[in-house]
Amino acid sequence: MPALSGFRLTLPPGWRNAPSGLPGEAGRFETDAASLIVLWVRGDAFLTLDGFADVARTPWIRGTEVRSTTRTVDRVRDRMLVDETTLGTVEGRAVVLRQFTAVAGTTGMALLFRYIAPPDERAALAEAASIAASWQLTGP
């Protein structure tokens, strides 16, 4: 279970650390066909949980021809999460995006999953949910 900048999560075999050093990133992981960016999301006392999810989502879906999007709010242990799934294409290739966003005070964190042409869309979504279920925020 990596304990990095403000979070812990359990990754299944095949995922590797791939730090990029981009501003706002707390971590980056990838497989041969998927990536996960753990992103700090700054806000203020008036930004809602949905607002934090929107801030994280906007650059994440850029360049995606969106076919469908669903968003729900769920409780995982003691934390409320926005769980959003976007299906679409990028440059003609199928893409599955799944985002989980949580907030502690005026700081949010998002798990941004991108699966490129997954052979099994349901398995990709289940894997993302499994990783998110292990997610623990430890502070900024």
Side-chain angles (χ1 to χ4, degrees):
M1 177 180 285
L4 299 163
S5 178
F7 70 98
R8 287 189 191 103
L9 43 87
T10 301
L11 298 168
W15 285 88
R16 58 192 171 278
N17 196 1
S20 71
L22 292 175
E25 281 189 13
R28 181 183 287 255
F29 307 91
E30 60 186 30
T31 69
D32 292 338
S35 64
L36 164 59
I37 296 172
V38 182
L39 182 69
W40 286 112
V41 184
R42 302 292 178 214
D44 58 46
F46 299 106
L47 198 58
T48 65
L49 179 56
D50 271 336
F52 278 98
D54 289 341
V55 168
R57 177 185 195 271
T58 299
W60 185 236
I61 65 164
R62 192 171 291 130
T64 304
E65 187 176 316
V66 175
R67 194 172 74 233
S68 69
T69 299
T70 59
R71 180 182 274 190
T72 60
V73 177
D74 297 312
R75 178 177 294 279
V76 175
R77 290 186 304 280
D78 64 340
R79 182 92 45 204
M80 295 300 294
L81 298 178
V82 171
D83 176 357
E84 183 171 321
T85 300
T86 300
L87 307 176
T89 58
V90 173
E91 298 178 1
R93 294 178 64 190
V95 65
V96 174
L97 306 175
R98 190 148 190 197
Q99 173 181 324
F100 296 90
T101 308
V103 177
T106 60
T107 303
M109 184 173 265
L111 302 180
L112 305 169
F113 293 87
R114 179 182 305 267
Y115 293 89
I116 305 295
D120 184 342
E121 204 171 270
R122 287 184 191 202
L125 292 169
E127 178 182 62
S130 173
I131 293 169
S134 76
W135 185 25
Q136 298 173 10
L137 275 71
T138 59

